[in-house]
mmCIF file with all atom_site columns, all heavy atoms in Angstrom:
data_model
loop_
_atom_site.group_PDB
_atom_site.id
_atom_site.type_symbol
_atom_site.label_atom_id
_atom_site.label_alt_id
_atom_site.label_comp_id
_atom_site.label_asym_id
_atom_site.label_entity_id
_atom_site.label_seq_id
_atom_site.pdbx_PDB_ins_code
_atom_site.Cartn_x
_atom_site.Cartn_y
_atom_site.Cartn_z
_atom_site.occupancy
_atom_site.B_iso_or_equiv
_atom_site.pdbx_formal_charge
_atom_site.auth_seq_id
_atom_site.auth_comp_id
_atom_site.auth_asym_id
_atom_site.auth_atom_id
_atom_site.pdbx_PDB_model_num
ATOM 1   N N   . LYS A 1 31  ? 4.527  75.169 62.170 1.00 98.00 ? 31  LYS A N   1
ATOM 2   C CA  . LYS A 1 31  ? 5.937  75.243 62.546 1.00 98.00 ? 31  LYS A CA  1
ATOM 3   C C   . LYS A 1 31  ? 6.117  76.333 63.605 1.00 98.00 ? 31  LYS A C   1
ATOM 4   O O   . LYS A 1 31  ? 5.571  77.434 63.468 1.00 98.00 ? 31  LYS A O   1
ATOM 5   C CB  . LYS A 1 31  ? 6.833  75.558 61.340 1.00 98.00 ? 31  LYS A CB  1
ATOM 6   C CG  . LYS A 1 31  ? 7.132  74.347 60.457 1.00 98.00 ? 31  LYS A CG  1
ATOM 7   C CD  . LYS A 1 31  ? 8.008  73.317 61.153 1.00 98.00 ? 31  LYS A CD  1
ATOM 8   C CE  . LYS A 1 31  ? 8.075  71.995 60.416 1.00 98.00 ? 31  LYS A CE  1
ATOM 9   N NZ  . LYS A 1 31  ? 8.810  72.065 59.157 1.00 98.00 ? 31  LYS A NZ  1
ATOM 10  N N   . ALA A 1 32  ? 6.867  75.978 64.649 1.00 98.00 ? 32  ALA A N   1
ATOM 11  C CA  . ALA A 1 32  ? 7.174  76.917 65.726 1.00 98.00 ? 32  ALA A CA  1
ATOM 12  C C   . ALA A 1 32  ? 8.679  77.139 65.729 1.00 98.00 ? 32  ALA A C   1
ATOM 13  O O   . ALA A 1 32  ? 9.456  76.187 65.880 1.00 98.00 ? 32  ALA A O   1
ATOM 14  C CB  . ALA A 1 32  ? 6.706  76.360 67.069 1.00 98.00 ? 32  ALA A CB  1
ATOM 15  N N   . MET A 1 33  ? 9.099  78.383 65.567 1.00 98.00 ? 33  MET A N   1
ATOM 16  C CA  . MET A 1 33  ? 10.521 78.708 65.469 1.00 98.00 ? 33  MET A CA  1
ATOM 17  C C   . MET A 1 33  ? 10.970 79.546 66.659 1.00 98.00 ? 33  MET A C   1
ATOM 18  O O   . MET A 1 33  ? 10.306 80.509 67.036 1.00 98.00 ? 33  MET A O   1
ATOM 19  C CB  . MET A 1 33  ? 10.792 79.456 64.151 1.00 98.00 ? 33  MET A CB  1
ATOM 20  C CG  . MET A 1 33  ? 12.266 79.736 63.867 1.00 98.00 ? 33  MET A CG  1
ATOM 21  S SD  . MET A 1 33  ? 12.961 81.172 64.722 1.00 98.00 ? 33  MET A SD  1
ATOM 22  C CE  . MET A 1 33  ? 12.082 82.526 63.949 1.00 98.00 ? 33  MET A CE  1
ATOM 23  N N   . MET A 1 34  ? 12.097 79.169 67.236 1.00 96.00 ? 34  MET A N   1
ATOM 24  C CA  . MET A 1 34  ? 12.734 79.969 68.284 1.00 96.00 ? 34  MET A CA  1
ATOM 25  C C   . MET A 1 34  ? 14.154 80.299 67.856 1.00 96.00 ? 34  MET A C   1
ATOM 26  O O   . MET A 1 34  ? 14.817 79.480 67.217 1.00 96.00 ? 34  MET A O   1
ATOM 27  C CB  . MET A 1 34  ? 12.762 79.217 69.610 1.00 96.00 ? 34  MET A CB  1
ATOM 28  C CG  . MET A 1 34  ? 11.392 78.964 70.213 1.00 96.00 ? 34  MET A CG  1
ATOM 29  S SD  . MET A 1 34  ? 11.510 78.246 71.889 1.00 96.00 ? 34  MET A SD  1
ATOM 30  C CE  . MET A 1 34  ? 12.081 76.598 71.502 1.00 96.00 ? 34  MET A CE  1
ATOM 31  N N   . ASP A 1 35  ? 14.615 81.502 68.226 1.00 95.00 ? 35  ASP A N   1
ATOM 32  C CA  . ASP A 1 35  ? 16.004 81.856 67.950 1.00 95.00 ? 35  ASP A CA  1
ATOM 33  C C   . ASP A 1 35  ? 16.777 81.957 69.266 1.00 95.00 ? 35  ASP A C   1
ATOM 34  O O   . ASP A 1 35  ? 16.228 81.741 70.346 1.00 95.00 ? 35  ASP A O   1
ATOM 35  C CB  . ASP A 1 35  ? 16.085 83.168 67.159 1.00 95.00 ? 35  ASP A CB  1
ATOM 36  C CG  . ASP A 1 35  ? 15.399 84.334 67.859 1.00 95.00 ? 35  ASP A CG  1
ATOM 37  O OD1 . ASP A 1 35  ? 15.285 84.295 69.100 1.00 95.00 ? 35  ASP A OD1 1
ATOM 38  O OD2 . ASP A 1 35  ? 14.980 85.281 67.179 1.00 95.00 ? 35  ASP A OD2 1
ATOM 39  N N   . LYS A 1 58  ? 8.106  67.354 68.170 1.00 95.00 ? 58  LYS A N   1
ATOM 40  C CA  . LYS A 1 58  ? 9.490  67.808 67.997 1.00 95.00 ? 58  LYS A CA  1
ATOM 41  C C   . LYS A 1 58  ? 9.840  68.120 66.547 1.00 95.00 ? 58  LYS A C   1
ATOM 42  O O   . LYS A 1 58  ? 10.700 68.957 66.273 1.00 95.00 ? 58  LYS A O   1
ATOM 43  C CB  . LYS A 1 58  ? 10.448 66.765 68.577 1.00 95.00 ? 58  LYS A CB  1
ATOM 44  C CG  . LYS A 1 58  ? 10.333 66.586 70.094 1.00 95.00 ? 58  LYS A CG  1
ATOM 45  C CD  . LYS A 1 58  ? 11.274 65.511 70.602 1.00 95.00 ? 58  LYS A CD  1
ATOM 46  C CE  . LYS A 1 58  ? 11.271 65.426 72.123 1.00 95.00 ? 58  LYS A CE  1
ATOM 47  N NZ  . LYS A 1 58  ? 9.958  65.054 72.659 1.00 95.00 ? 58  LYS A NZ  1
ATOM 48  N N   . ASP A 1 59  ? 9.174  67.466 65.618 1.00 97.00 ? 59  ASP A N   1
ATOM 49  C CA  . ASP A 1 59  ? 9.457  67.707 64.190 1.00 97.00 ? 59  ASP A CA  1
ATOM 50  C C   . ASP A 1 59  ? 8.940  69.069 63.727 1.00 97.00 ? 59  ASP A C   1
ATOM 51  O O   . ASP A 1 59  ? 9.361  69.565 62.677 1.00 97.00 ? 59  ASP A O   1
ATOM 52  C CB  . ASP A 1 59  ? 8.834  66.614 63.325 1.00 97.00 ? 59  ASP A CB  1
ATOM 53  C CG  . ASP A 1 59  ? 9.532  65.275 63.495 1.00 97.00 ? 59  ASP A CG  1
ATOM 54  O OD1 . ASP A 1 59  ? 10.718 65.278 63.899 1.00 97.00 ? 59  ASP A OD1 1
ATOM 55  O OD2 . ASP A 1 59  ? 8.908  64.224 63.244 1.00 97.00 ? 59  ASP A OD2 1
ATOM 56  N N   . LYS A 1 60  ? 8.022  69.659 64.492 1.00 98.00 ? 60  LYS A N   1
ATOM 57  C CA  . LYS A 1 60  ? 7.456  70.942 64.104 1.00 98.00 ? 60  LYS A CA  1
ATOM 58  C C   . LYS A 1 60  ? 8.114  72.123 64.827 1.00 98.00 ? 60  LYS A C   1
ATOM 59  O O   . LYS A 1 60  ? 7.703  73.265 64.640 1.00 98.00 ? 60  LYS A O   1
ATOM 60  C CB  . LYS A 1 60  ? 5.939  70.953 64.367 1.00 98.00 ? 60  LYS A CB  1
ATOM 61  C CG  . LYS A 1 60  ? 5.170  69.992 63.453 1.00 98.00 ? 60  LYS A CG  1
ATOM 62  C CD  . LYS A 1 60  ? 3.673  70.092 63.672 1.00 98.00 ? 60  LYS A CD  1
ATOM 63  C CE  . LYS A 1 60  ? 2.930  69.157 62.715 1.00 98.00 ? 60  LYS A CE  1
ATOM 64  N NZ  . LYS A 1 60  ? 1.458  69.256 62.884 1.00 98.00 ? 60  LYS A NZ  1
ATOM 65  N N   . VAL A 1 61  ? 9.125  71.828 65.629 1.00 97.00 ? 61  VAL A N   1
ATOM 66  C CA  . VAL A 1 61  ? 9.860  72.874 66.341 1.00 97.00 ? 61  VAL A CA  1
ATOM 67  C C   . VAL A 1 61  ? 11.213 73.084 65.660 1.00 97.00 ? 61  VAL A C   1
ATOM 68  O O   . VAL A 1 61  ? 11.930 72.128 65.368 1.00 97.00 ? 61  VAL A O   1
ATOM 69  C CB  . VAL A 1 61  ? 10.061 72.496 67.818 1.00 97.00 ? 61  VAL A CB  1
ATOM 70  C CG1 . VAL A 1 61  ? 10.882 73.568 68.538 1.00 97.00 ? 61  VAL A CG1 1
ATOM 71  C CG2 . VAL A 1 61  ? 8.712  72.306 68.509 1.00 97.00 ? 61  VAL A CG2 1
ATOM 72  N N   . VAL A 1 62  ? 11.541 74.350 65.392 1.00 98.00 ? 62  VAL A N   1
ATOM 73  C CA  . VAL A 1 62  ? 12.807 74.711 64.763 1.00 98.00 ? 62  VAL A CA  1
ATOM 74  C C   . VAL A 1 62  ? 13.514 75.720 65.658 1.00 98.00 ? 62  VAL A C   1
ATOM 75  O O   . VAL A 1 62  ? 12.897 76.691 66.110 1.00 98.00 ? 62  VAL A O   1
ATOM 76  C CB  . VAL A 1 62  ? 12.590 75.321 63.363 1.00 98.00 ? 62  VAL A CB  1
ATOM 77  C CG1 . VAL A 1 62  ? 13.924 75.602 62.678 1.00 98.00 ? 62  VAL A CG1 1
ATOM 78  C CG2 . VAL A 1 62  ? 11.726 74.405 62.491 1.00 98.00 ? 62  VAL A CG2 1
ATOM 79  N N   . ILE A 1 63  ? 14.789 75.487 65.934 1.00 97.00 ? 63  ILE A N   1
ATOM 80  C CA  . ILE A 1 63  ? 15.576 76.403 66.758 1.00 97.00 ? 63  ILE A CA  1
ATOM 81  C C   . ILE A 1 63  ? 16.804 76.836 65.965 1.00 97.00 ? 63  ILE A C   1
ATOM 82  O O   . ILE A 1 63  ? 17.523 76.000 65.415 1.00 97.00 ? 63  ILE A O   1
ATOM 83  C CB  . ILE A 1 63  ? 15.997 75.744 68.084 1.00 97.00 ? 63  ILE A CB  1
ATOM 84  C CG1 . ILE A 1 63  ? 14.749 75.284 68.858 1.00 97.00 ? 63  ILE A CG1 1
ATOM 85  C CG2 . ILE A 1 63  ? 16.816 76.708 68.928 1.00 97.00 ? 63  ILE A CG2 1
ATOM 86  C CD1 . ILE A 1 63  ? 15.060 74.560 70.154 1.00 97.00 ? 63  ILE A CD1 1
ATOM 87  N N   . ILE A 1 64  ? 17.028 78.149 65.910 1.00 97.00 ? 64  ILE A N   1
ATOM 88  C CA  . ILE A 1 64  ? 18.106 78.699 65.092 1.00 97.00 ? 64  ILE A CA  1
ATOM 89  C C   . ILE A 1 64  ? 18.902 79.717 65.893 1.00 97.00 ? 64  ILE A C   1
ATOM 90  O O   . ILE A 1 64  ? 18.360 80.716 66.363 1.00 97.00 ? 64  ILE A O   1
ATOM 91  C CB  . ILE A 1 64  ? 17.545 79.360 63.812 1.00 97.00 ? 64  ILE A CB  1
ATOM 92  C CG1 . ILE A 1 64  ? 16.721 78.338 63.002 1.00 97.00 ? 64  ILE A CG1 1
ATOM 93  C CG2 . ILE A 1 64  ? 18.680 79.926 62.949 1.00 97.00 ? 64  ILE A CG2 1
ATOM 94  C CD1 . ILE A 1 64  ? 15.925 78.946 61.871 1.00 97.00 ? 64  ILE A CD1 1
ATOM 95  N N   . ILE A 1 92  ? 15.283 68.125 69.721 1.00 94.00 ? 92  ILE A N   1
ATOM 96  C CA  . ILE A 1 92  ? 14.929 68.955 68.570 1.00 94.00 ? 92  ILE A CA  1
ATOM 97  C C   . ILE A 1 92  ? 16.004 68.784 67.502 1.00 94.00 ? 92  ILE A C   1
ATOM 98  O O   . ILE A 1 92  ? 17.104 69.343 67.591 1.00 94.00 ? 92  ILE A O   1
ATOM 99  C CB  . ILE A 1 92  ? 14.799 70.442 68.968 1.00 94.00 ? 92  ILE A CB  1
ATOM 100 C CG1 . ILE A 1 92  ? 13.863 70.609 70.167 1.00 94.00 ? 92  ILE A CG1 1
ATOM 101 C CG2 . ILE A 1 92  ? 14.323 71.258 67.774 1.00 94.00 ? 92  ILE A CG2 1
ATOM 102 C CD1 . ILE A 1 92  ? 12.461 70.108 69.942 1.00 94.00 ? 92  ILE A CD1 1
ATOM 103 N N   . ASN A 1 94  ? 15.745 69.785 64.404 1.00 98.00 ? 94  ASN A N   1
ATOM 104 C CA  . ASN A 1 94  ? 15.775 70.969 63.530 1.00 98.00 ? 94  ASN A CA  1
ATOM 105 C C   . ASN A 1 94  ? 16.479 72.122 64.243 1.00 98.00 ? 94  ASN A C   1
ATOM 106 O O   . ASN A 1 94  ? 15.879 73.155 64.556 1.00 98.00 ? 94  ASN A O   1
ATOM 107 C CB  . ASN A 1 94  ? 14.345 71.389 63.146 1.00 98.00 ? 94  ASN A CB  1
ATOM 108 C CG  . ASN A 1 94  ? 13.648 70.339 62.319 1.00 98.00 ? 94  ASN A CG  1
ATOM 109 O OD1 . ASN A 1 94  ? 14.238 69.732 61.432 1.00 98.00 ? 94  ASN A OD1 1
ATOM 110 N ND2 . ASN A 1 94  ? 12.373 70.110 62.606 1.00 98.00 ? 94  ASN A ND2 1
ATOM 111 N N   . TYR A 1 95  ? 17.756 71.930 64.517 1.00 98.00 ? 95  TYR A N   1
ATOM 112 C CA  . TYR A 1 95  ? 18.565 72.967 65.152 1.00 98.00 ? 95  TYR A CA  1
ATOM 113 C C   . TYR A 1 95  ? 19.652 73.406 64.179 1.00 98.00 ? 95  TYR A C   1
ATOM 114 O O   . TYR A 1 95  ? 20.334 72.572 63.577 1.00 98.00 ? 95  TYR A O   1
ATOM 115 C CB  . TYR A 1 95  ? 19.203 72.478 66.447 1.00 98.00 ? 95  TYR A CB  1
ATOM 116 C CG  . TYR A 1 95  ? 20.159 73.504 67.033 1.00 98.00 ? 95  TYR A CG  1
ATOM 117 C CD1 . TYR A 1 95  ? 19.664 74.639 67.681 1.00 98.00 ? 95  TYR A CD1 1
ATOM 118 C CD2 . TYR A 1 95  ? 21.542 73.363 66.902 1.00 98.00 ? 95  TYR A CD2 1
ATOM 119 C CE1 . TYR A 1 95  ? 20.525 75.603 68.199 1.00 98.00 ? 95  TYR A CE1 1
ATOM 120 C CE2 . TYR A 1 95  ? 22.412 74.324 67.414 1.00 98.00 ? 95  TYR A CE2 1
ATOM 121 C CZ  . TYR A 1 95  ? 21.903 75.437 68.056 1.00 98.00 ? 95  TYR A CZ  1
ATOM 122 O OH  . TYR A 1 95  ? 22.751 76.393 68.543 1.00 98.00 ? 95  TYR A OH  1
ATOM 123 N N   . TYR A 1 96  ? 19.818 74.738 64.025 1.00 98.00 ? 96  TYR A N   1
ATOM 124 C CA  . TYR A 1 96  ? 20.805 75.281 63.092 1.00 98.00 ? 96  TYR A CA  1
ATOM 125 C C   . TYR A 1 96  ? 21.559 76.418 63.780 1.00 98.00 ? 96  TYR A C   1
ATOM 126 O O   . TYR A 1 96  ? 20.993 77.168 64.564 1.00 98.00 ? 96  TYR A O   1
ATOM 127 C CB  . TYR A 1 96  ? 20.124 75.834 61.838 1.00 98.00 ? 96  TYR A CB  1
ATOM 128 C CG  . TYR A 1 96  ? 19.143 74.884 61.182 1.00 98.00 ? 96  TYR A CG  1
ATOM 129 C CD1 . TYR A 1 96  ? 17.794 74.904 61.540 1.00 98.00 ? 96  TYR A CD1 1
ATOM 130 C CD2 . TYR A 1 96  ? 19.547 73.968 60.222 1.00 98.00 ? 96  TYR A CD2 1
ATOM 131 C CE1 . TYR A 1 96  ? 16.884 74.036 60.950 1.00 98.00 ? 96  TYR A CE1 1
ATOM 132 C CE2 . TYR A 1 96  ? 18.645 73.100 59.630 1.00 98.00 ? 96  TYR A CE2 1
ATOM 133 C CZ  . TYR A 1 96  ? 17.308 73.142 59.997 1.00 98.00 ? 96  TYR A CZ  1
ATOM 134 O OH  . TYR A 1 96  ? 16.410 72.291 59.406 1.00 98.00 ? 96  TYR A OH  1
ATOM 135 N N   . ILE A 1 105 ? 16.844 80.862 56.815 1.00 98.00 ? 105 ILE A N   1
ATOM 136 C CA  . ILE A 1 105 ? 17.071 79.431 57.041 1.00 98.00 ? 105 ILE A CA  1
ATOM 137 C C   . ILE A 1 105 ? 15.741 78.674 57.050 1.00 98.00 ? 105 ILE A C   1
ATOM 138 O O   . ILE A 1 105 ? 15.640 77.564 56.515 1.00 98.00 ? 105 ILE A O   1
ATOM 139 C CB  . ILE A 1 105 ? 17.831 79.209 58.366 1.00 98.00 ? 105 ILE A CB  1
ATOM 140 C CG1 . ILE A 1 105 ? 19.170 79.942 58.334 1.00 98.00 ? 105 ILE A CG1 1
ATOM 141 C CG2 . ILE A 1 105 ? 18.029 77.723 58.630 1.00 98.00 ? 105 ILE A CG2 1
ATOM 142 C CD1 . ILE A 1 105 ? 20.018 79.679 57.107 1.00 98.00 ? 105 ILE A CD1 1
ATOM 143 N N   . MET A 1 106 ? 14.709 79.266 57.642 1.00 98.00 ? 106 MET A N   1
ATOM 144 C CA  . MET A 1 106 ? 13.392 78.631 57.640 1.00 98.00 ? 106 MET A CA  1
ATOM 145 C C   . MET A 1 106 ? 12.914 78.363 56.211 1.00 98.00 ? 106 MET A C   1
ATOM 146 O O   . MET A 1 106 ? 12.372 77.293 55.905 1.00 98.00 ? 106 MET A O   1
ATOM 147 C CB  . MET A 1 106 ? 12.388 79.524 58.368 1.00 98.00 ? 106 MET A CB  1
ATOM 148 C CG  . MET A 1 106 ? 12.556 79.579 59.871 1.00 98.00 ? 106 MET A CG  1
ATOM 149 S SD  . MET A 1 106 ? 12.059 78.057 60.711 1.00 98.00 ? 106 MET A SD  1
ATOM 150 C CE  . MET A 1 106 ? 10.264 78.146 60.544 1.00 98.00 ? 106 MET A CE  1
ATOM 151 N N   . HIS A 1 111 ? 10.928 74.790 55.907 1.00 98.00 ? 111 HIS A N   1
ATOM 152 C CA  . HIS A 1 111 ? 10.055 74.883 57.076 1.00 98.00 ? 111 HIS A CA  1
ATOM 153 C C   . HIS A 1 111 ? 8.904  75.868 56.882 1.00 98.00 ? 111 HIS A C   1
ATOM 154 O O   . HIS A 1 111 ? 8.057  75.998 57.771 1.00 98.00 ? 111 HIS A O   1
ATOM 155 C CB  . HIS A 1 111 ? 10.871 75.286 58.306 1.00 98.00 ? 111 HIS A CB  1
ATOM 156 C CG  . HIS A 1 111 ? 11.913 74.281 58.689 1.00 98.00 ? 111 HIS A CG  1
ATOM 157 N ND1 . HIS A 1 111 ? 11.604 72.973 59.010 1.00 98.00 ? 111 HIS A ND1 1
ATOM 158 C CD2 . HIS A 1 111 ? 13.270 74.384 58.791 1.00 98.00 ? 111 HIS A CD2 1
ATOM 159 C CE1 . HIS A 1 111 ? 12.713 72.317 59.302 1.00 98.00 ? 111 HIS A CE1 1
ATOM 160 N NE2 . HIS A 1 111 ? 13.738 73.144 59.174 1.00 98.00 ? 111 HIS A NE2 1
#
Side-chain angles (χ1 to χ4, degrees):
K31 280 292 168 70
M33 186 279 293
M34 294 187 288
D35 57 25
K58 295 178 174 63
D59 290 336
K60 293 184 178 181
V61 178
V62 184
I63 302 177
I64 303 169
I92 308 300
N94 296 319
Y95 174 75
Y96 310 91
I105 301 310
M106 288 288 288
H111 297 301

